[in-house]
Amino acid sequence: MVNNTLYPKLAVTNLKNNRKTYVPYIFTAVLCVMMFYMIDALSRSESVEEVTMQICLRYAVAVVLIFSLIFLFYTNSFLIKRRKKEIGVYHILGMGKSHISKMMLIEMLITAGVSIVAGIVFGVIFGKLMYLILLKILHSKVSMAFAISLSSVRDTVLLFVVIFSLSFLYNLLQIKLSNPIELLHGGNQGEKEPKTKWFLTLVGVAALGTGYYLAITTEHPLDALSHFFVAVVCVIVGTYALFTAGSIAILKMLKKNKKFYYQPKHFTTISGMIYRMKQNAVGLANICILSTMVLIMVSTTVSLYAGMEDILKARFPQDSSITMQSQDEKTKMLINELIDKTEKEGVKISSRFEYDYGALSGTQNGDTLNLTPVTNYGRATLFIVNLIPVEDYNRIEKKQVSLKDDEVMIYRTNGTYGENSVKINGRTYKIAQELNELKAEPKNKAGAFGTYYIICSSKEQVQKMLYEIVSNTKGIEPEYIDVLAALNHTVRFNMSGDANKYENVIHNMQNEYPELSNVEFQNRQMSENSFYELYGSLLFIGIYMGILFVVATVLIIYYKQISEGYDDRERFQIMQKVGMSKKEVKYSIKNQVLSVFFLPLITAVIHVMVAFPVVMKLLALLNLANKTLFMLCTGVTIVVFAGFYAVVYGVTAREYYKIVN
C-alpha cells in the first residue's frame, strides 16, 4: 500500500525536476489568468459607460477566453510528451496507473492553484493601472473608484478550472491508452521519414495564391471588408500546407544534391529536420501566423491612433455642419437663430457658407453614372453624388460662373473624373470644367465611398434631375418619392470657443422647437471624444491582444527549442563519438536553428507586405487615408518585432545548445 503522503512529495519533486518546462508554462498560465481577469473586470466596470468601448471589451473577453483555452491546452501537450519516459519509469518501478493519476492530479492542483491565485492577485494589482492607461489613450479624465470585481473573479476561477481539468483529462487519456514500454520511449518517438506530399503542396500554393490575389486585387473598401476574412483563411491554410508539405519537398531536393548534402554542417541539419518535419512544420506555421497577427494588429491600431488628426480633418473639412432634408423656411430661420445664440455665448463663428444639394449614390461605367437614392447604399455603391446649383457654388467660392442646361462642372474627392461628358439618367451633359478643389470638401482618399460634386445650371435643374432619378428607381413606394427627392440644405462654419456652449444651445432649442429634432448637427470638438473612444479602444485592444500573441509566440519557440534539444542530444552525442568536434556540433546546431528559426518571421513579413493594400482599404473605412503613416507604423512594428524575435532566438538557442551538449 502506497503512503498517501508520497503523492504530494512526488508531485513537488516532479515539478522541480521539470522546472525548465513547467516554470514557463505556469508563467504563461498566470499571464492568461491575469489578462482575462483584467479585461473581464474592465468590461464589467460601471466607469466604462461608452457603448463602443463596452462592445470592444466584450469582444476582447471572448478572444482572450478562446485563446487561453486553445493555447494552454496546446502547451500542455508539450509537457506530457516530455514526461512520458519519466511516467514509464514509474510504471516499471511498480506504480499503477491509478497511483500515477493521483500524483498527476496533485501536480495539476498545484499548477492550477498557483496559476489562478497568482493571476488574480496580479490582475487586481495591475487592473487599475490598465484602466488608467486606457483613460490616457482615450484622453478621458473620468475618475474610477478602485474595486475588486467579484463576478470577474468567479468567472476567471471557473474558466481556468475547466481549462486545467480538460488538460488533466487529456493527460490521463494519454497514460491510459499507453503501455509502460510505449511510455518509456514516448518522449523519444520520432517521425518516420515523411513522403513528399505534392497534392498538399499544390493545395498550399493554390490557397496562398488565392489569399494573395484577393489582397492585391480588391479595389473597393466595402469589398475589402468581406474579402479580407476570406484572404486570411486562405493564407492560414496555405501557410500550414506549405510549411508541412512544401518544406519537406525542399529538404528532399537538397538531400538529393550529394555535393551539398554530404557535408557535416549540412548533413546533420537536413537529416535532423527531415525526420521530424511534420511536427516541426506545424510549430513553425503557428509561429508564422501568430507573428503575422501581431504585426498587422499592432501596426493598424497604432496607425489609426497616430492618424487621429488626419482622420478628424478629413471627416470635418469645417468644424461644424448643420444639415436638414427639407426646404422649410422656418427651420432655416431657427438654424440662423441657433448660430446667433451660439455667438452670444462667446463662441466665434467664421468661414460660414450654406448651400442646397441633392444626395445620390451610384456606380460609374465609363462616362455613364448610374445613380440611385442614398437609401440604396451597398457593395455596388462606388461613390456618393451631390448635385449642387451653380448659384450656391458661386456664393461659396465667390465666383461668377454660368452654365447652360446641358452643361455641368464636376469635382471628385478621391481622384479625377477624366471624361469630356457625363451621362446621367439617360441624358448627356458636357463637362464645362473639372474642378481641382472645392471648399465644401477638400481632396480626400479616405472613407468607404468617394464623392462626386456635380454643379448644375440651376436649382430647378437639380430638383428635376433628382426627382427623375428617384421616381425611376425600382422598389421606391410612390408615397416616399417626394421625401427622397427633396433637396438637403446644409450650413457649414468654423468655430472657436467652448463647444459645450454650442451643444447646450442645440439641446435647449431642440427642446423648445420640435422642428430641430430632425436636423443633423455635427461638430469636430463634440465628435472628438467619440473618435478617441473608437480608435483608442482599438489601440488598447490591439496592444492587449498583441501582448498575448507575443507571449504565445515566445512560448512556442521556447518549447520547440527545448523539445528539439532533447530529441537531438543523443544524436549529437553519437556524432561526437564518431569524430565530430564540439565546434562542428555547435556550428551544426547554429546552422539548423537559423535555417528554421527565422523562416516564420520572413514569411510573416511577406504576408504583411502582401496584405498592405487590402488593409489600407480597410483603414479607409475608418477614414484613414495616410498611406505614408501606415507604411511607417508597419515598418517600425516589423523592426521592433524582429529585434525582439532575435533576442528570443539568442536565449532559446543557448538553452538548446546546453541540452544537446
Side-chain angles (χ1 to χ4, degrees):
M1 183 175 178
V2 180
N3 191 337
N4 288 332
T5 60
L6 179 64
Y7 299 123
K9 291 180 180 179
L10 282 175
V12 172
T13 301
N14 290 337
L15 293 176
K16 287 181 179 179
N17 292 339
N18 292 282
R19 57 185 177 275
K20 271 196 173 183
T21 53
Y22 267 92
V23 169
Y25 176 70
I26 293 173
F27 170 79
T28 305
V30 169
L31 185 67
C32 287
V33 173
M34 181 183 76
M35 298 291 270
F36 180 82
Y37 169 81
M38 288 193 300
I39 201 72
D40 191 65
L42 273 178
S43 69
R44 297 172 187 265
S45 174
E46 295 180 358
S47 301
V48 180
E49 297 177 350
E50 299 85 354
V51 176
T52 304
M53 186 72 240
Q54 290 175 347
I55 293 172
C56 289
L57 288 174
R58 293 316 303 173
Y59 276 119
V61 169
V63 172
V64 176
L65 188 155
I66 295 170
F67 171 84
S68 300
L69 176 63
I70 294 174
F71 189 63
L72 290 179
F73 195 81
Y74 175 78
T75 52
N76 174 73
S77 65
F78 284 95
L79 302 181
I80 192 63
K81 180 186 177 183
R82 293 294 347 139
R83 296 195 58 199
K84 281 186 176 180
K85 184 175 181 179
E86 171 193 328
I87 294 169
V89 171
Y90 283 130
H91 261 304
I92 299 298
L93 293 176
M95 287 184 68
K97 291 184 177 181
S98 60
H99 299 141
I100 293 175
S101 298
K102 290 180 182 179
M103 179 188 70
M104 294 181 68
L105 174 62
I106 295 173
E107 292 174 1
M108 186 275 290
L109 291 175
I110 294 172
T111 303
V114 171
S115 301
I116 294 173
V117 172
I120 291 176
V121 169
F122 284 117
V124 171
I125 293 172
F126 291 105
K128 187 170 184 179
L129 175 62
M130 191 62 63
Y131 186 81
L132 293 175
I133 292 172
L134 175 59
L135 293 182
K136 184 69 175 178
I137 292 174
L138 299 180
H139 288 205
S140 177
K141 297 180 181 179
V142 179
S143 60
M144 170 184 143
F146 180 74
I148 298 175
S149 175
L150 295 179
S151 55
S152 294
V153 171
R154 177 201 64 207
D155 289 352
T156 303
V157 171
L158 289 175
L159 169 65
F160 284 92
V161 164
V162 170
I163 292 175
F164 281 107
S165 298
L166 289 174
S167 298
F168 173 66
L169 292 175
Y170 171 80
N171 294 345
L172 287 185
L173 187 64
Q174 294 295 304
I175 304 303
K176 294 289 185 184
L177 296 178
S178 302
N179 62 46
I181 302 301
E182 289 174 342
L183 289 172
L184 198 60
H185 296 284
N188 295 323
Q189 287 178 353
E191 298 277 351
K192 292 182 179 180
E193 181 173 336
K195 297 180 180 179
T196 305
K197 301 177 181 178
W198 290 110
F199 176 75
L200 187 58
T201 302
L202 293 175
V203 169
V205 171
L208 194 64
T210 302
Y212 280 7
Y213 176 80
L214 290 173
I216 294 171
T217 60
T218 300
E219 293 292 336
H220 196 261
L222 286 181
D223 289 331
L225 194 60
S226 57
H227 289 177
F228 179 74
F229 294 103
V230 177
V232 167
V233 173
C234 289
V235 168
I236 289 175
V237 171
T239 300
Y240 278 108
L242 288 178
F243 267 89
T244 303
S247 58
I248 292 172
I250 293 172
L251 286 170
K252 287 201 170 185
M253 288 171 60
L254 292 174
K255 187 177 180 180
K256 288 180 180 179
N257 186 338
K258 296 183 178 180
K259 290 183 179 180
F260 178 85
Y261 180 64
Y262 289 107
Q263 296 181 28
K265 60 182 180 180
H266 296 152
F267 176 82
T268 53
T269 299
I270 294 173
S271 62
M273 289 168 57
I274 203 168
Y275 280 91
R276 297 186 313 276
M277 198 55 206
K278 183 178 179 180
Q279 175 186 348
N280 196 37
V282 172
L284 294 174
N286 289 334
I287 296 169
C288 177
I289 297 301
L290 286 170
S291 299
T292 306
M293 292 171 67
V294 170
L295 293 173
I296 290 181
M297 190 180 302
V298 174
S299 62
T300 52
T301 53
V302 170
S303 298
L304 284 170
Y305 193 76
M308 186 74 68
E309 284 302 314
D310 288 345
I311 293 170
L312 287 170
K313 185 177 180 181
R315 181 66 182 81
F316 298 97
Q318 292 76 36
D319 291 341
S320 302
S321 67
I322 305 173
T323 305
M324 61 178 186
Q325 191 179 7
S326 71
Q327 295 299 305
D328 181 60
E329 293 302 321
K330 181 180 178 182
T331 306
K332 288 184 180 180
M333 290 176 61
L334 290 173
I335 290 174
N336 291 330
E337 182 182 342
L338 185 148
I339 295 174
D340 291 339
K341 285 186 176 182
T342 301
E343 288 187 296
K344 289 178 181 179
E345 291 291 328
V347 179
K348 185 178 179 181
I349 304 296
S350 61
S351 305
R352 175 180 170 180
F353 61 85
E354 55 188 289
Y355 60 92
D356 296 325
Y357 69 97
L360 297 164
S361 64
T363 59
Q364 180 180 349
N365 183 14
D367 64 349
T368 301
L369 301 184
N370 303 304
L371 304 181
T372 61
V374 291
T375 53
N376 285 18
Y377 279 170
R379 287 201 179 109
T381 301
L382 291 179
F383 50 79
I384 299 168
V385 173
N386 290 329
L387 305 176
I388 299 178
V390 71
E391 54 263 36
D392 285 354
Y393 168 79
N394 287 332
R395 186 169 58 253
I396 296 169
E397 301 290 337
K398 295 181 173 55
K399 294 184 178 181
Q400 296 294 326
V401 177
S402 61
L403 296 171
K404 298 177 183 178
D405 286 346
D406 64 344
E407 290 181 330
V408 296
M409 294 191 299
I410 197 165
Y411 170 73
R412 186 175 179 179
T413 60
N414 61 340
T416 57
Y417 176 65
E419 302 287 345
N420 296 322
S421 62
V422 59
K423 187 178 291 185
I424 302 174
N425 201 34
R427 298 182 183 180
T428 301
Y429 297 87
K430 180 183 177 182
I431 304 296
Q433 182 184 358
E434 180 167 356
L435 304 172
N436 293 320
E437 58 182 1
L438 195 68
K439 286 184 180 178
E441 191 169 351
K443 288 285 186 181
N444 171 37
K445 295 181 181 180
F449 309 104
T451 303
Y452 275 108
Y453 283 83
I454 299 179
I455 318 301
C456 303
S457 60
S458 65
K459 183 176 179 179
E460 290 74 23
Q461 179 77 352
V462 170
Q463 185 67 76
K464 179 182 177 182
M465 293 170 64
L466 186 62
Y467 186 85
E468 288 180 352
I469 291 170
V470 172
S471 59
N472 290 331
T473 301
K474 294 181 180 180
I476 303 294
E477 299 294 334
E479 59 267 27
Y480 295 115
I481 291 178
D482 289 337
V483 176
L484 295 174
L487 292 180
N488 295 332
H489 182 78
T490 187
V491 181
R492 296 189 180 186
F493 52 89
N494 290 326
M495 190 179 75
S496 59
D498 189 356
N500 292 326
K501 293 180 179 180
Y502 175 57
E503 190 172 9
N504 291 336
V505 172
I506 293 173
H507 289 161
N508 292 336
M509 288 196 66
Q510 282 180 330
N511 292 333
E512 186 176 354
Y513 301 103
E515 295 92 336
L516 293 176
S517 59
N518 294 323
V519 176
E520 181 183 10
F521 295 92
Q522 291 189 336
N523 175 265
R524 173 172 174 155
Q525 290 174 273
M526 290 162 52
S527 301
E528 200 170 64
N529 288 339
S530 63
F531 273 78
Y532 274 109
E533 175 191 332
L534 173 61
Y535 298 127
S537 300
L538 292 175
L539 175 63
F540 178 80
I541 300 303
I543 294 174
Y544 205 86
M545 295 296 104
I547 292 172
L548 273 182
F549 294 151
V550 165
V551 171
T553 303
V554 171
L555 197 66
I556 290 175
I557 291 171
Y558 178 80
Y559 278 132
K560 173 184 169 297
Q561 296 288 66
I562 295 297
S563 179
E564 288 187 1
Y566 283 114
D567 290 340
D568 290 345
R569 180 167 58 184
E570 185 176 346
R571 183 165 59 91
F572 280 111
Q573 286 174 348
I574 293 173
M575 290 292 183
Q576 286 186 7
K577 289 177 181 178
V578 297
M580 197 172 182
S581 68
K582 285 190 175 183
K583 184 178 179 181
E584 289 173 327
V585 170
K586 186 173 182 179
Y587 181 84
S588 179
I589 293 171
K590 183 179 179 181
N591 194 32
Q592 177 179 341
V593 172
L594 279 172
S595 298
V596 297
F597 197 89
F598 285 96
L599 182 61
L601 178 62
I602 294 170
T603 309
V605 172
I606 294 172
H607 287 346
V608 172
M609 291 173 64
V610 174
F612 189 90
V614 71
V615 174
M616 194 69 234
K617 290 177 177 61
L618 289 174
L619 292 176
L621 291 172
L622 296 170
N623 296 305
L624 181 67
N626 194 331
K627 186 176 182 179
T628 303
L629 175 65
F630 180 47
M631 192 177 296
L632 177 63
C633 291
T634 303
V636 171
T637 303
I638 290 173
V639 170
V640 172
F641 184 79
F644 180 79
Y645 197 92
V647 171
V648 174
Y649 160 73
V651 173
T652 55
R654 191 179 301 115
E655 289 297 318
Y656 178 97
Y657 180 70
K658 286 180 181 178
I659 293 171
V660 299
N661 196 39

